[in-house]
Each structure stands twice: as structure tokens, then as C-alpha cells.
Amino acid sequence: MDMLKKVPVREQDPKVRAANFEEVCYGYNLEEAMEEAKRCLKCKNAQCMKGCPVHINIPGFIAEVEKGDIAAAYKVLSEATSLPAVCGRVCPQESQCEGKCIRGIKGEPVSIGKLERFVADWARENGICPEPVKETNGIKVAVIGSGPAGLSCAGDLAKLGYEVTIFEALHEPGGVLTYGIPEFRLPKDGVVKPEIENVKRLGVKIETNVVIGKSTTIDELMEEENFKAVFIGSGAGLPKFMGIPGENANGVFSANEYLTRSNLMKATRDDYDTPMVAGKRVVVVGGGNVAMDAARTALRLGAETHIVYRRSMQELPARAEEVHHAQEEGIIFQLLTNPVEILVDDNGWVKGITCIRMELGEPDASGRRRPVEVPGSEFTIDADVVIMALGTSPNPLIASTTDGLEINKRRCIIAEEEYGKTTKEGVYAGGDAVSGAATVILAMEAGRNGAKGIHEYLSGRGE
Amino acid sequence: MYRIVKAKRLADKIYLMEVEAKRVARACEPGQFVIVKMDEHGERIPLTICDYNREAGTITIVFQSVGASTERMASLQAGDSFEDFVGPLGCPSEFIHEPLEELKKKKYIFVAGGVGAAPVYPQVKWMHEHGIAADVIVGCKTKDLLILEKEMEAVAGNLFITTDDGSYGRHGMVTKVLKDLVEEEGRRYDVCVAIGPMIMMKFTCLTTKELEIPTVVSMNPIMVDGTGMCGACRLTIGGEVKFACVDGPEFDGHLVNFDEAMKRQQMYRTEEGRALLKEREGDTHHGGCGHCGGDE
């Protein structure tokens, strides 16, 4: 065995998977996982743990995998995370745990994400789940939003004995795990639903179809329904558009709409009622994970699919693995390109998109080189569907209907970094609602911190 | 699950249902809507709240069977349930926030087209309950399609009914009635609220612009989530992009780009036609609609 290289993970052939929605990556089997676990140096001062936002005891769980005691490995994981099967799949490990792995200095880092995923999948398949607490303390806490932040906060609070109710606006819990990330990256019935079931098993109640700010308000929950504290994990679900001509034409979608139809509403399946437009030639604007997800969904529906991104390959914010998968599947990348107008036919339907070439200028405030238009370089790409994946911002609804809850100029809820304490007493917040659009694991970290903050607040008050 | 406590056919293809939804009934105001989803396989359908009973915890919806989903929904009976029923969504009608003394000085005319009588009803009822007699025009194609006549009569100031074919009430479109009321019969209105099919709202707005009556319309674009996260329902209002589900559904009718909105409403025409035919004809459907290529 070459100790410098990861044990390769089995994947669906790109040609085959480009036409189905099944999971691309098959994951490790027990043998492969034990083999990969041997590569871990079990560092005393493990750098990988510093790279993990929820500080999983990585050498600890890998040591159990190496021994073949997967149940013990799952126990170690569960101490820090309530969604390991999700995070093992969707974390950008290259910039987190694996980015810090000593093995990575010479050769490839240990495949921590794939090992985490293996352990979580094994536990699910073998019916091992977290244990609920025996008795609750009778104190009610409300969690707004059932995405990664809300689920991890609710899970932690339930373990501490609180009576937790999650309020979810959509008809299914999971947030972006359910409506945003496609089946081929994160299976819904196979992975997301069982992980949510695990959170419920801890005693967490989930009430769907409740839009906080409309169906009821945080003030009402606290004053009339006796919730002693609230955690807001409502995410950043408001899509951005470019404001260019033609953007309201038929066939132009936000990535949120496109992915909600395909993932949450299962519009790609004949036995579900929600329609969606497949398109023959699809242009996706943007370079993040959401853009990759939308493009790869369009490709699976049979379209020739282009990604238009204004910077170059190096600046693509998407996970390396997803960009690689997208390329393998045949997505065409049009880099250093920016749309200026959407062309519309007589029926009001998209017929193309005019773009301009860009070049990279001086670094901007974020340290990234600013793209600058090349004058006179406009060209047109024919397209019948255009998907805007330009990022999202928090929905102002909750803040605008809660007395004393302040937001900043980016519409994010103002919360103290450590425990997510907001400007309103008893109300904590975390995840994309506070940071703006970020990652699943950062949201989970914020959820955990929020749970700590709420516990401290409520136990302090009881004395 | 949200239990249907009453299901009634009001007219051909028009159905009324009273549904148990405590949180919605407690919080809703005139002008707002709900999204319903029948079952696991169903789609999310926006419907304006037609009435509510806070004590009983129920919401009344009225819908027209126009496609596969609403046709399936029409078959539900009292005792059946909706799997999902979320709301209230959107902003309440603006007038409910106006000081009552100010509001009482204004003369309102409500214009309802077809099944639009249902969303107009709670607004007129609210006016009535606050001591304001608002006039109402209800227009429909023919007598058989007239709904909520008695209910409307009970809360409206003057009720003017018109049918396109003259089979009941006045004869002609709502726009003609509105024009006649102002120009021929000397009535004055300060605000018009028009709800119905987009084409009817568009022409009502053209008429009220001529008559110089400020006009509010309740837009009904395609929606998915109804909470502002997707932009499927986006409209151009006075040159700006707005999401009907969170910024509306009511807007200044003289600022709405109706032509764009109507084109967007047609986006899934082929898909919807296909779904409807599949529902009606089941396995016997082999492409009779000429669009869908049968079961390929």
C-alpha cells in the first residue's frame, strides 16, 4: 500500500451517473475504511481537529475504525456531531480537517470525510442510534428552522434535558439538506431522513408548516406558548438576481427555485405533481456549490450544461470534489465570463445569454483578484434555461416581526460570536442567518454554540 | 394533517372547503393566502384565504379546478385531510392598517372576476365589520358560475352582478359596469380593489387609470414555497422586481407589468396540460393533446 495516497473511493462511472440521480460516491466498505484508517498518524496534538469546526476527536474515532470497532467509532463521532453522515459527504474537507492533516504535507491527507461517512452509514445500517435522555427538565426551548444549525442546536439541547420544538416553514425538515443539495450528493431517504429521525429520537419535536413572522412570532412563542429561550437558525434563503435585462423571462430561474423543484418537490420524477423545465441548453451563472448542484441536476435531465463564472478556476468557491465531478460528467466551464443580458424570444422565453469576457485585475478587499470587463468582448451563448446561482441572503421576515432583534446592513441577525446571543434577551441565533451563506458544518458549529449559550442562560436564570 | 370540515361544490368546477388550521386561523388577515399540498406526491398550490373562523380554528378556501392538481383536490370530501397547509402568507391588505376615521372617508369599489369573488369576500366582510359599506362588482361568464352571491350581498354596500352573456344581472364585462357606474350613474370611488384572472385585472387597471381611480390588485403568479426563498413569483412593479409572496400579493395595479406576468403564468402550460390529461385519461392517454408525445 502506498501510504502517501488515500485509499481510493469507489464511484459511479461518470457516463452512467450523468443520466441518473443516484449517489455518485459509493463510500468505503469496512476493509477499505480499516485500510485508510491505518494511514492516520494518531497525532497527539492533532491539527485536523483544529480544522474541524465542531472539533470531532478525529484521531480517536479513526483509531476505533482501524481496530474495526465501528460502534465505538460512532460513539466518538456522536459526542461532537449530530449529522455525521451528512457532514462526511458535504463538508469542504480540503479547507477544513483534511487541509490541516500532517499526511497532506507529503502526499495526500487522510480521507477523514470518507471515514466519518463510513462510520455513520455503518451505524445507520446496523441500527445504532444516539440514546435519548431519560427525563426532561420541563423547560421549553423553541428552535426556528430545521436546517443544520437548528438540528444540531436542538439535538444538543435535548441531550441536556430541554423540551425542544423546532418550527419549520416548509413541509419537510432539513433546510438546505432537503431542498438544496441534490440526491446524487446527499440521498434524502437514505441519509437525510434517518439523521433527522435520530434528532427526533432524542426527544425533539418538529412542527412543519409554521412560518415564524407569519403563522406566529417569536414574541408570541415566548409570551403565550411558554418557550423560555429561542434559537434562530433560519438560514439565508433569499435568492439574488443580477438585475440585467431579460431576467424575468420564462426559463430564468433562481437556483433555489430550480433545486427546490427537483429536490424537495421531486419534480424530476413522473409520480410527483410539481413540474419543472428540463431545457436543452442550460446556462448556470455562478461558481459555488449551489451552481455545481444546479448544473449537475440540469445535466442529469439531459441538457447540455454550461457554467458561467466571472473569475478563474482557482477562485471557484465550490468544493474541489464537486468541481472535479462536474468536469468528469461533461459540464462546460466558461470561466472569466460575466452575463450582461438575457435574450428573450417573442413568446417571452429565454433564447440566449450575452456575456462579456473578464480578466483578473488587482486584489480586492476580500483578497481575491477583482474581475474586470474586457471592452468589446461580448458574445452570446444560446440557451433555453438560465439558472442564477449568485448566492443568497437572510430573509428579513423574522427580524422585522420580532421586537428588539437587530440586524446589520447585510440583513444578518446581529449575534455575539461565542454563543450566538442576540440583542433580544433569551434569543440566540446562528448559522447562515447570522453569517450569511456559508457551509453546513459552520452552521452546525453555530447551532452547538447556541445550545451552550441557551443552557448557560437558562441554568443561570434558574438559580 | 389538516382536516377538511366542510367541502361543497359552489358551481361548475368551483369548490369551497373549510379546513382546520389553528395557527393560520389565529393569525390571518384579509388579503393573505395559504399554500396547500394534498399529499406526499402533491404540489404546493397557493390559494387566497376566503374566510376564517378564529374560534373554530378554520380557514375557508375556494378554488377552481383548472389542472391536474386542482382536479384531484376537488375529489376530497369532508373528513379527508390536506397533508400540508401553511400560512398565513403574504402581506395583509393595506387598508386594515389605515386609521378607521380616514378609511371611513373613502369610497371603495371592489371588482371581482369569476372565482376572484372568493378573495374579495373577506376584504368586503372586514369593511362591513368596521362599519364601512363598500360597493362590489362581481362578474362572471354566465349565471351558473356565480359564487358567494348571498354572502357578498350580506356584507357589501351596493352589489352589482354582471355576466358576460347577460344571463343574470347586468350584461357585459366588469370594466363596462365600472365605467357605467362612474360615467353614467355618477358614482364616485376613491379606491378600487380588483381581484380575478390577470387579464381581467389588467383591463380593470386600464379602465381605472382612465377614470383616475387608484387601484389595488392581488397578483396570482406561479409560486413554489411562498416564503420568499425562490423568486418563482417575481413580478415587475414600477420597474422594480418584487416577489409576490412576500412583497404582495397586493400591489398598485397601475404599476404592474401585466404582459410579463401573464407570460410567466404560462410557463408550464405544456407540463400542466400533460399532467391534466394523464389524470383524466390515465393509461389510455397516448398523446392526444398533441404536445406531450404520449407516454414516451
Side-chain angles (χ1 to χ4, degrees), chain A residues 200-244:
Chain A
K200 284 196 200 164
R201 205 168 273 129
L202 294 170
V204 173
K205 286 195 208 104
I206 303 182
E207 198 180 325
T208 52
N209 297 324
V210 182
V211 184
I212 300 298
K214 293 286 180 189
S215 312
T216 185
T217 62
I218 286 179
D219 291 313
E220 284 169 355
L221 288 178
M222 297 182 88
E223 285 156 23
E224 292 166 31
E225 297 193 36
N226 204 25
F227 286 97
K228 299 296 180 203
V230 176
F231 177 81
I232 305 171
S234 52
L238 213 64
K240 290 180 185 155
F241 287 94
M242 294 188 82
I244 57 174

Side-chain angles (χ1 to χ4, degrees), chain B residues 226-237:
Chain B
T227 63
M229 63 171 261
C230 87
C233 65
R234 63 193 190 275
L235 302 163
T236 305
I237 310 290

Side-chain angles (χ1 to χ4, degrees), chain B residues 46-60:
Chain B
L47 293 168
T48 311
I49 294 168
C50 167
D51 204 356
Y52 48 89
N53 183 332
R54 301 211 201 278
E55 288 74 43
T58 59
I59 293 289
T60 303

